[in-house]
Amino acid sequence: MNAAAAVRIIGAAQRRCAQSWRRPALLLPPVVSSSAVQCCLQSTQPVPARRLPYRVKVSAGKRYAWCACGHSKKQPFCDGAHRTVAPSISPLRFTPEKDQALLLCACKQTKNAPYCDGSHLKVIFRDAVKSVKGLFK
């Protein structure tokens, strides 16, 4: 086999491989079950909704559900998104004793959930260090 034939064969194999990755999800072979795909897409770790805490006014005696997974569109409160995206992470329910303004955690790293304990500073620092290291690679 000459070099030109080898290049053609390798090129064809690369094109075929690249085309298979661009295939829409509907054309996947039936061997892959939807539960296997869903299992891989579900999250077991909370996702930071943002880096700084949410300042919210709460009413005494009213029950609130703080989003612990980070996927809710109604941050910092739960909208039920965890049921499909992160079923292993449940919201934290709490009832304030008086009307007040609170800082509720948005980075989901607090040790005093649902209240902010300053853990977001570690998250911000870690992200900054990661960005700086990326500049020197």
Side-chain angles (χ1 to χ4, degrees):
M1 176 187 311
N2 62 19
V7 169
R8 279 195 307 270
I9 292 170
I10 292 172
Q14 288 174 340
R15 282 190 301 277
R16 198 171 19 248
C17 183
Q19 289 171 352
S20 68
W21 284 107
R22 284 188 234 136
R23 199 178 308 171
L26 297 175
L27 298 178
L28 285 174
V31 178
V32 178
S33 68
S34 62
S35 62
V37 173
Q38 187 177 10
C39 177
C40 296
L41 298 177
Q42 292 177 346
S43 174
T44 59
Q45 295 295 320
V47 176
R50 70 180 202 183
R51 291 190 176 116
L52 297 176
Y54 290 98
R55 181 182 160 92
V56 295
K57 292 183 182 179
V58 293
S59 302
K62 184 177 176 185
R63 292 194 62 190
Y64 294 93
W66 175 73
C67 172
C69 69
H71 294 284
S72 174
K73 301 290 184 215
K74 295 181 179 180
Q75 288 292 335
F77 302 111
C78 179
D79 67 357
H82 66 277
R83 291 183 193 124
T84 55
V85 184
S88 63
I89 304 173
S90 298
L92 179 79
R93 290 167 175 60
F94 69 100
T95 306
E97 295 178 6
K98 60 182 180 177
D99 293 349
Q100 59 186 338
L102 298 173
L103 290 176
L104 297 182
C105 179
C107 72
K108 312 302 179 193
Q109 302 298 315
T110 184
K111 303 289 186 250
N112 187 24
Y115 310 107
C116 176
D117 67 356
S119 297
H120 60 274
L121 298 174
K122 293 177 192 171
V123 173
I124 293 170
F125 180 75
R126 185 182 63 225
D127 290 347
V129 168
K130 193 184 301 183
S131 296
V132 170
K133 283 184 177 178
L135 294 174
F136 296 104
K137 284 187 177 182

